[in-house]
Amino acid sequence: MQEFDIVVSGGGVAGLTAAAVFGTAGFSVLCVDPSPPITTREAPGSDLRTTAFLQPAQALLDRAGLWARLAPFAADLQVMRIVDAGGVTPEPRITKEFDASDISDQPFGWNLPNWLLRREMVAHLESLPGVTFRPGTGTTTLFTREAEARVGLSDGTRVRARLVIAADGRNSPIREAAKIGVKTTHYGQKALAFAVTHPIPHGNVSTEIHRSGGPFTLVPLPDHEGRPSSAVVWMEQGPEVVRLAALPEADFEAEMNARSCHLFGPLTLASRRTVWPIISQIAERLYGERVALVAEAAHVVPPIGAQGLNMSLGDMRVLLELAEAAPDQLGDRAMLETYHRRRHLEIKARVKGIDLLNRASMMRARPLRDARAMGLNAIYSLAPVRKTLMQLGLGARG
């Protein structure tokens, strides 16, 4: 039976980050995932979503030695623009811009495609002597006792570890094996994720356009084939997303151009369309015996305000602080209870806040859409409130 300090279950962006973070800190790490990562843009099944790493997350990636690999591919997010188009016609009626220069000498964050993150992270793990990555191998069993965890793998082997990090998604097998419950909220929404090119440069501005059904968000990407490019997440009611996803390309482009209010000129589809379900979910607790839940195993939020993976890296930052403060207590009950205390209340607050923002973005009734526009106007006009919200968005505690 092989022994490691840490077993990371899950080889998505969160799991690969966890392996890099703890491997760089000197812990021996095994990272497993039943599905080998797809690391090219055009491959079937590639993840066309993007991740915006906010400032605290970027600092953690830098510490893990990842940022030097990622920085050349990143697009700065200097301004967060919110557009209300909830009037009679789908046209901007209120536009407000939140500029990172009001609170920092750095951008809010940096945006990268998820498929590229996997490619660069897998390559980085190969350079870390203390990290073993086994793509195509998943966890099948979990047995814990006070002093250790034993994990059965799908290749028939078993490993012993002091800590198991569950980074294996919203339907986490490790969370289920640890008998940790979750509270799930369904919105009846889905999201379309795809990339576009456009004639008007994005200027490092991330734009959320609100009308009804959910936000239409354009996030800066590096130029694609010589043209300005953005990643799009278009949230709508489930049946509407299914309809949009099935449209011929020309008809789809006509609909997305109308929904974008033509802010960047005519959008041209530059990738295939992928569909993702939208839920909120939070685990009842963030730990079990010798088990820590992180990322979507612990919390899931709608893709608003770039909070999802940044919350996940917040989990890892706290776990790493505790592990480095007392390496001999890695994975023990006191460490994991402290981790839960330091993260759970903040996670609950953020999940609730994003839930409210999502419900506001879904409003269909005209008076409610008008009230949403008035609220945006009021928030923006109060400079201290505006700056506080920006700080909270970056991860400051309320």
Side-chain angles (χ1 to χ4, degrees):
M1 184 180 291
Q2 288 184 287
E3 294 191 17
F4 297 87
D5 292 323
I6 298 169
V7 171
V8 178
S9 176
V13 173
L16 295 172
T17 302
V21 164
F22 285 94
T24 302
F27 296 95
S28 62
V29 181
L30 171 66
C31 180
V32 297
D33 192 289
S35 302
I38 299 171
T39 57
T40 57
R41 185 178 187 270
E42 305 303 334
S46 65
D47 187 348
L48 297 181
R49 295 174 298 175
T50 62
T51 294
F53 291 101
L54 304 180
Q55 290 178 17
Q58 183 269 342
L60 185 67
L61 294 175
D62 193 36
R63 183 176 174 187
L66 279 165
W67 190 245
R69 300 189 68 101
L70 299 175
F73 306 104
D76 291 0
L77 303 181
Q78 181 63 35
V79 174
M80 301 289 192
R81 176 196 291 155
I82 299 179
V83 178
D84 188 276
V88 177
T89 58
E91 297 174 351
R93 56 176 178 172
I94 294 178
T95 299
K96 301 298 181 184
E97 294 188 348
F98 297 80
D99 195 321
S101 63
D102 289 347
I103 59 170
S104 173
D105 59 359
Q106 290 186 300
F108 284 116
W110 298 263
N111 197 48
L112 293 114
N114 285 4
W115 64 266
L116 185 143
L117 288 171
R118 287 179 169 85
R119 183 188 75 191
E120 297 301 316
M121 288 177 172
V122 168
H124 182 63
L125 294 188
E126 293 174 356
S127 72
L128 299 177
V131 176
T132 301
F133 179 44
R134 292 191 200 167
T137 301
T139 55
T140 55
T141 60
L142 173 70
F143 171 76
T144 64
R145 53 190 182 188
E146 191 173 329
E148 66 179 20
R150 296 186 181 185
V151 181
L153 303 178
S154 58
D155 63 3
T157 61
R158 291 191 301 158
V159 296
R160 180 185 290 127
R162 293 194 286 156
L163 174 65
V164 177
I165 296 178
D168 44 4
R170 59 186 66 184
N171 300 314
S172 167
I174 291 294
R175 185 188 65 219
E176 188 173 323
K179 296 181 170 55
I180 300 171
V182 294
K183 178 183 178 182
T184 305
T185 301
H186 296 273
Y187 300 99
Q189 286 172 301
K190 295 183 186 295
L192 277 162
F194 51 94
V196 296
T197 57
H198 38 81
I200 299 174
H202 49 60
N204 300 120
V205 177
S206 177
T207 303
E208 277 188 9
I209 305 168
H210 294 263
R211 184 161 172 78
S212 64
F216 183 100
T217 305
L218 299 105
V219 188
L221 286 175
D223 287 0
H224 178 65
E225 297 180 348
R227 302 190 73 207
S229 182
S230 295
V232 176
V233 177
W234 184 358
M235 290 166 58
E236 258 295 353
Q237 293 297 309
E240 176 65 359
V241 168
V242 171
R243 182 188 74 83
L244 290 166
L247 287 175
E249 187 168 308
D251 294 338
F252 179 77
E253 287 184 341
E255 297 235 15
M256 75 172 174
N257 275 297
R259 185 63 178 81
S260 74
C261 300
H262 304 281
L263 292 178
F264 295 89
L267 304 180
T268 301
L269 192 63
S271 73
R272 72 182 191 283
R273 291 161 269 178
T274 58
V275 176
W276 302 87
I278 300 298
I279 63 169
S280 285
Q281 185 168 279
I282 186 167
E284 292 174 354
R285 65 181 192 278
L286 302 183
Y287 74 99
E289 189 173 61
R290 293 284 158 182
V291 171
L293 307 186
V294 302
E296 288 203 340
H299 44 76
V300 182
V301 292
I304 294 175
Q307 293 298 301
L309 194 68
N310 289 278
M311 290 167 62
S312 304
L313 268 62
D315 301 339
M316 291 168 213
R317 190 163 51 246
V318 171
L319 271 181
L320 180 64
E321 288 173 6
L322 295 172
E324 290 188 316
D328 56 321
Q329 297 172 28
L330 178 71
D332 71 8
R333 185 176 183 86
M335 172 191 167
L336 294 175
E337 286 180 341
T338 302
Y339 166 63
H340 173 84
R341 282 198 306 274
R342 286 181 57 180
R343 289 295 296 153
H344 201 240
L345 281 177
E346 181 181 340
I347 288 168
K348 285 205 298 187
R350 287 188 183 271
V351 170
K352 182 63 176 175
I354 295 166
D355 172 86
L356 291 172
L357 288 172
N358 189 38
R359 292 182 188 280
S361 76
M362 293 169 64
M363 291 174 178
R364 293 193 175 277
R366 177 73 186 283
L368 294 176
R369 283 161 34 187
D370 291 344
R372 179 184 66 200
M374 290 168 57
L376 172 61
N377 224 9
I379 288 170
Y380 191 85
S381 65
L382 299 170
V385 175
R386 183 171 73 249
K387 290 182 179 181
T388 298
L389 286 175
M390 287 192 281
Q391 293 282 11
L392 287 171
L394 285 179
R397 296 192 173 198

